[in-house]
Amino acid sequence: MSGNLYAIGDVQGCLESLEGLLEQLPGDAELLFVGDLVNRGPQSLETLRFIMGLGDRATALLGNHDMHLLACAAGAGKVHRKDTIGPILEAPDAGELLDWVRTRPLMVERDGVIFVHAGVPPLWDLPTARALAHEVEAELAGDDWKRSLAHMYGKTQWAPDLTGDDRLRAILNGFTRMRFVDRETGLLDFDQKEGVGRAPANLVPWFEFRGRKPLGAPVCFGHWSMLGLINRPDLMAIDTGCLWGGELTAVRIPDRRLFTENCPCWSNPLA
């Protein structure tokens, strides 16, 4: 264990908040961003360049907004009104930026912790999650990555016999979009984004599914700002709503000490 690893929640283009948070951390701290580096915040391009510029000091996971950036670059998605990824796509160094993003991992195992963006689907054991992450990472790092993302969007559920576009889509759904699952089947729900108290009775957070496969290590994830901060032995949820005027959170591994930066409100979560 390094004792100098800090996991950081969803930044989403809020560079000012990130810089404020980093002022609280040691100058040589290793940083692990749990995804959603860009989009909706005011400085997506500058944030991406900044994190890239950290070099080997930083590891960044792929989140759903990072995947949206790649999908738009591949012609498989459209830049929406509230998106702030347009300047990245139009930047003179767009090719370099996109190549860096698409070669980021979906899952990292470090210092006895599993780091992912949205979570590990409860029907996957660790060897399965590890293999599926590597499978998609290799696809995105390949020369044909744009074609691979041609049909990225959709509500495909995971099944071991899936192939082609359906398989890639289902894996990405699990790692980057998941929040609630059906309490009886463990299948992902793609519609509910609120906190736990507003969910229909048939849904539970993915990590509360009774049949969840044991992973043998705690999971640290972001993605779900309405969930709020969770810091319990088996789980660290660290998306604390930076974009929405909440906080940007870092957790030090392994002692779980928290560092937070109060953030301006750049978007209304209820809009």
Side-chain angles (χ1 to χ4, degrees):
M1 295 184 182
S2 67
N4 198 36
L5 178 64
Y6 296 76
I8 298 177
D10 302 33
V11 178
Q12 293 198 238
C14 299
L15 180 58
E16 176 185 338
S17 300
L18 175 58
E19 290 177 324
L21 180 65
L22 294 184
E23 288 177 359
Q24 303 180 46
L25 309 184
D28 63 346
E30 292 184 74
L31 309 174
L32 197 157
F33 296 87
V34 297
D36 280 1
L37 307 181
V38 300
N39 208 19
R40 305 293 175 83
Q43 292 182 286
S44 287
L45 173 59
E46 294 83 357
T47 300
L48 187 52
R49 285 175 173 161
F50 178 84
I51 295 174
M52 279 185 62
L54 294 171
D56 293 340
R57 182 186 169 197
T59 299
L61 301 175
L62 283 168
N64 55 300
H65 283 282
D66 311 312
M67 288 305 308
H68 177 56
L69 167 65
L70 293 176
C72 290
K78 296 182 179 180
V79 178
H80 305 304
R81 180 174 58 86
K82 294 183 180 180
D83 289 342
T84 59
I85 57 174
I88 300 174
L89 299 171
E90 298 165 3
D93 55 344
E96 179 183 358
L97 296 169
L98 294 169
D99 284 346
W100 185 85
V101 172
R102 69 184 177 91
T103 52
R104 298 310 93 194
L106 283 169
M107 184 175 82
V108 167
E109 298 170 71
R110 274 286 309 272
D111 293 5
V113 178
I114 299 165
F115 298 93
V116 284
H117 178 61
V120 178
L123 301 181
W124 296 353
D125 58 19
L126 184 55
T128 298
R130 189 182 291 141
L132 295 178
H134 291 334
E135 183 177 325
V136 172
E137 290 161 7
E139 192 79 15
L140 293 177
D143 293 338
D144 205 23
W145 67 275
K146 290 186 177 181
R147 194 231 60 82
S148 298
L149 295 180
H151 304 285
M152 186 188 82
Y153 294 105
K155 299 181 179 182
T156 303
Q157 299 281 355
W158 167 252
D161 59 350
L162 289 177
T163 60
D165 295 333
D166 291 339
R167 185 177 179 89
L168 181 140
R169 187 186 311 116
I171 296 170
L172 286 173
N173 283 343
F175 278 121
T176 69
R177 294 184 61 192
M178 177 178 64
R179 291 186 179 93
F180 288 103
V181 300
D182 185 277
R183 68 169 58 249
E184 300 297 332
T185 66
L187 294 178
L188 276 61
D189 175 85
F190 295 101
D191 299 319
Q192 297 298 318
K193 299 181 179 180
E194 293 83 3
V196 176
R198 295 186 177 184
N202 66 306
L203 299 179
V204 294
W206 64 267
F207 50 84
E208 298 291 2
F209 179 63
R210 286 179 297 178
R212 180 184 166 205
K213 300 282 188 181
L215 299 173
V219 177
C220 180
F221 66 102
H223 182 57
W224 198 349
S225 61
M226 297 295 287
L227 190 64
L229 178 69
I230 298 177
N231 189 9
R232 69 189 203 192
D234 66 325
L235 205 74
M236 289 170 271
I238 60 171
D239 179 4
T240 46
C242 173
L243 177 67
W244 316 114
E247 297 176 329
L248 183 62
T249 295
V251 56
R252 186 168 67 189
I253 309 297
D255 69 356
R256 307 287 190 93
R257 180 180 173 185
L258 297 171
F259 301 80
T260 60
E261 176 74 10
N262 292 327
C263 304
C265 182
W266 297 109
S267 186
N268 180 1
L270 302 179

